[in-house]
Amino acid sequence: MGPGVSAALASARARHLRDVRYDLSLDVTASDSATGRVVITFERRASTAHDVLLDFRGRALLALDVNGTAVDVRDSATWNGHHIRLRARSLRAGRNRVEARFVTPIAASGAAIIRSRDQSDGRTYLYTLLVPSDANLLFPCFDQPDLKARVTLTLTVPPDWRALANGAVAADDSSAARRIVRFVETPPLSTYLVAFAAGPWAVATRTASIRPGEPAIPVSLWVRQSRAAEAEVDTLLVMNARALAWLGDWFGVPYPFGKYDALLAPAFPFGGMEHPGAVFYNEQSFIYRERPTRTQLLGRQATTYHEVAHQWFGDYVTMRWFDDLWLKEGFATYMAAKMQAALEPGGDAWRTFYLRNKPVAYATDLTMGTTPIWQQLGNLDQAKSNYGPIVYNKAPALLRQLEFVVGAPAFQRGVRALLASRAFGNATWRDLLAAVGQAAGRDLSAWGAQWMLRPGMPVLETSLALRNGRIARLLLSQRPAQPALSGTAP
């Protein structure tokens, strides 16, 4: 099997495997590599007689055990640098157990574990970045969004470090030489959402009442020590907590991940990343060395609301495959605008929404290189190519139109129905339109086919007929600039 995770491989595994769990242990005390051990358990359908492939492209595979039998990892037929082959003869119908020991790199860039050295005080910080396709660089796994798994993580770190992950801390044992932090098992997560950070972070925690009648949860802000005094700790904690409360109320689903950590990550390449229970933000966009402008403050707020919205759309319900990347990104951007409009009535949120999204989307859609919102993806290795203005700018504008077409109450009922039916699961654009259409009492399949599968802007043409110097007829006609995708999208 070649590089990446093909759509065909992902589809086959999703049909034959279920109830996946990872018990992952990593020692990150070395500077350039982490040593790890993972125990993977999964259910396999009785009718399956084929080999099973795990995805792994770390630095080394040291040992492999399948259902109690050791496997020779020096055989290239077992591990080819991209996939680990589990032979059908070693697997059972029902529950299987695979244990692997491995090494994965730690580096300033290009690794699943990013190392950042603070130039002002020499301290070192680590954080993961697995989206969209680097979970299998960190550890052996089924690296596809629709094979969600419960994850238990144990980290070994230097004794003066702290660590965070998706789950809350279950145990924290320290000695003079090292610190071992074990986290509670998570709800089902897609592999690209697994996350941890470790280092001498400064941490501030507040207990927030997210929803009346629901237990309060800890909301924490993590920042490197040299910039802790500059961070607007209370402002950022309140901003995240308000978003959690507002969205839980709008979606009709209380915040589903138990605790909430916000990490200001140095040299982070994106505005933010929505890992469940452990959101990472770009430090430079959240801490200002000079008095910030109103645009900067609104941008920081929009980023916060966007990432918090992902806790529901992206984390709680996840796209089945990265061809539906818009489903999480479009929703997060749209819900951020709705939240800003509700919580900051004087902020002119919808004007900002228009200026940030529609001109960029129009300009992209006018080009011959534009794509549909649903972007067919043959291999996970190509997922980064699906990011761009169509997903981030056109998709949220489409959702605003959809809400207008069916009405705000029906739109909300449909979204709530989708979340309720797909809790900790996966969905496609067709699932969304079916839920909203049912709530609105109308069939949205034709509307969806035009907007989801057809690229480009419509072409408007005029035909003018004059008679005796007067306009006798003015005809306006519209046609698609490009054909819709051939075949049937899932």
Side-chain angles (χ1 to χ4, degrees):
M1 179 64 68
V5 178
S6 70
L9 171 60
S11 178
R13 292 194 303 206
R15 290 195 305 271
H16 298 144
L17 307 177
R18 64 182 180 87
D19 192 17
V20 181
R21 294 172 187 253
Y22 301 110
D23 189 344
L24 175 63
S25 300
L26 288 164
D27 185 330
V28 296
T29 54
S31 62
D32 65 347
S33 62
T35 56
R37 170 184 173 271
V38 64
V39 175
I40 308 167
T41 57
F42 58 91
E43 293 283 336
R44 180 169 172 261
R45 287 181 56 183
S47 60
T48 305
H50 300 95
D51 297 348
V52 170
L53 296 182
L54 283 166
D55 311 314
F56 181 60
R57 51 189 178 87
R59 182 167 290 171
L61 180 64
L62 303 177
L64 182 66
D65 178 284
V66 181
N67 289 323
T69 300
V71 177
D72 184 4
V73 298
R74 296 169 298 179
D75 183 355
S76 61
T78 298
W79 181 52
N80 64 1
H82 302 284
H83 301 280
I84 300 170
R85 184 176 295 275
L86 308 177
R87 298 290 183 182
R89 61 177 178 270
S90 301
L91 299 172
R92 307 165 179 155
R95 202 73 185 155
N96 288 267
R97 182 185 186 277
V98 177
E99 180 177 341
R101 290 192 298 111
F102 58 91
V103 179
T104 193
I106 299 173
S109 62
I113 305 176
I114 304 298
R115 180 185 65 244
S116 178
R117 185 177 183 275
D118 192 324
Q119 297 298 316
S120 63
D121 61 17
R123 292 186 173 100
T124 296
Y125 298 87
L126 303 179
Y127 58 83
T128 53
L129 184 58
L130 308 186
V131 65
S133 58
D134 282 348
N136 68 86
L137 180 58
L138 179 65
F139 69 105
C141 60
F142 300 112
D143 200 1
Q144 58 188 80
D146 60 343
L147 271 181
K148 288 190 168 185
R150 298 180 183 272
V151 181
T152 303
L153 176 65
T154 302
L155 290 178
T156 300
V157 302
D160 60 337
W161 283 18
R162 292 185 171 99
L164 69 85
N166 303 104
V169 173
D172 188 341
D173 301 316
S174 298
S175 68
R178 62 182 185 174
R179 187 175 202 166
I180 300 175
V181 186
R182 185 169 179 83
F183 299 89
V184 300
E185 185 181 65
T186 69
L189 305 180
S190 298
T191 45
Y192 77 90
L193 294 169
V194 174
F196 69 82
W201 305 95
V203 184
T205 303
R206 306 285 187 270
T207 300
S209 296
I210 299 302
R211 199 177 185 194
E214 298 288 338
I217 68 167
V219 178
S220 299
L221 183 72
W222 295 59
V223 60
R224 54 181 168 144
Q225 293 190 34
S226 67
R227 305 211 67 183
E230 301 172 77
E232 299 172 78
V233 174
D234 287 332
T235 297
L236 296 178
L237 286 172
V238 168
M239 191 185 304
N240 281 274
R242 287 182 77 196
L244 290 167
W246 191 91
L247 286 161
D249 183 65
W250 196 93
F251 285 130
V253 177
Y255 174 66
F257 296 106
K259 62 91 180 172
Y260 183 90
D261 294 323
L263 176 87
L264 305 189
F268 198 66
F270 310 125
M273 179 58 205
E274 68 267 17
H275 319 106
V279 173
F280 295 176
Y281 293 114
N282 181 299
E283 179 192 82
Q284 288 300 111
S285 299
F286 276 66
I287 300 178
Y288 308 115
R289 298 190 185 276
E290 299 176 351
R291 184 179 179 87
T293 65
R294 178 171 174 77
T295 299
Q296 286 177 304
L297 293 173
L298 288 174
R300 182 175 70 176
Q301 185 184 71
T303 298
T304 299
Y305 291 173
H306 177 105
E307 302 306 333
V308 177
H310 272 311
Q311 302 297 301
W312 285 265
F313 261 92
D315 299 356
Y316 186 65
V317 175
T318 311
M319 74 248 159
R320 191 178 73 188
W321 186 237
F322 273 87
D323 48 20
D324 261 323
L325 177 64
W326 82 276
L327 192 59
K328 72 184 187 77
E329 297 302 339
F331 247 103
T333 297
Y334 186 53
M335 293 308 300
K338 286 182 73 70
M339 203 179 335
Q340 280 189 306
L343 297 179
E344 307 290 341
D348 209 2
W350 290 119
R351 180 174 180 273
T352 302
F353 176 84
Y354 170 83
L355 292 174
R356 284 183 176 171
N357 292 292
K358 289 204 170 184
V360 176
Y362 289 146
T364 303
D365 238 2
L366 284 170
T367 68
M368 291 303 296
T370 190
T371 65
I373 289 177
W374 183 87
Q375 299 180 42
Q376 194 163 15
L377 185 72
N379 194 296
L380 186 63
D381 269 7
Q382 303 159 5
K384 290 180 181 179
S385 66
N386 279 21
Y387 288 76
I390 297 301
V391 160
Y392 280 94
N393 303 104
K394 182 178 179 179
L398 172 69
L399 288 171
R400 182 153 174 78
Q401 181 190 6
L402 175 60
E403 185 176 42
F404 174 79
V405 166
V406 301
F411 180 76
Q412 185 179 30
R413 290 197 305 272
V415 170
R416 286 183 168 188
L418 180 69
L419 289 170
S421 66
R422 303 290 173 138
F424 297 109
N426 300 87
T428 70
W429 67 271
R430 291 190 186 277
D431 298 323
L432 170 66
L433 292 189
V436 173
Q438 184 172 6
R442 59 184 295 178
D443 184 357
L444 294 172
S445 56
W447 183 91
Q450 290 298 319
W451 282 102
M452 301 306 305
L453 303 181
R454 189 184 296 282
M457 295 278 290
V459 176
L460 294 175
E461 297 175 320
T462 63
S463 176
L464 181 65
L466 300 176
R467 186 176 298 117
N468 300 323
R470 293 176 176 269
I471 297 175
R473 186 185 66 172
L474 174 61
L475 179 65
L476 299 178
S477 61
Q478 176 179 302
R479 61 178 173 80
Q482 298 185 44
L485 289 180
S486 59
T488 303

